[in-house]
Amino acid sequence: MIDYDVTELEEKLARLATEVSGYATITAATPMHEIRAIAEQAGMMFGRMLAAALHSGPITADLAFDIRVNEQQGKERFVAAAGRLFGFGGELRQALSE
């Protein structure tokens, strides 16, 4: 069995998901509904990758269930973070506006 740092794995998968989903295209003029859509996509991707990476054992229906749960949790997590960072008064929204 390979031993790895789950927190480090999560951080790297989150960076990959945001990069692939287009976070770099977000500007001060990007409407929140577009930012939320990007965040949803990134969160779902993150959840899929994390569920697959953490799974051990045979591929069964349980894995499909874990993927669905992780997709939903990832989507909720990324959308909430996008709201805090890019919403009115958000740190990244202000930085992009400067």
Side-chain angles (χ1 to χ4, degrees):
M1 178 171 180
I2 298 173
D3 187 29
Y4 52 88
D5 183 335
V6 174
T7 301
E8 182 181 359
L9 173 65
E10 285 185 353
E11 289 171 5
K12 289 181 179 189
L13 292 177
R15 275 195 296 269
L16 176 63
T18 56
E19 182 181 318
V20 170
S21 295
Y23 271 67
T25 65
I26 296 173
T27 68
T30 305
M32 260 325 277
H33 72 276
E34 288 181 24
I35 294 172
R36 277 191 292 276
I38 291 169
E40 282 184 15
Q41 180 181 355
M44 289 180 68
M45 182 185 306
F46 169 80
R48 286 182 198 139
M49 292 186 296
L50 185 62
L54 297 178
H55 179 77
S56 62
I59 306 299
T60 64
D62 289 342
L63 177 57
F65 178 76
D66 289 346
I67 288 172
R68 276 283 182 227
V69 168
N70 277 280
E71 281 179 341
Q72 186 61 35
Q73 289 174 345
K75 185 169 75 169
E76 291 170 3
R77 186 170 149 189
F78 276 59
V79 168
R84 285 190 309 275
L85 295 170
F86 294 103
F88 182 74
E91 186 177 319
L92 290 179
R93 179 67 81 175
Q94 288 179 345
L96 291 172
S97 296
E98 294 175 352

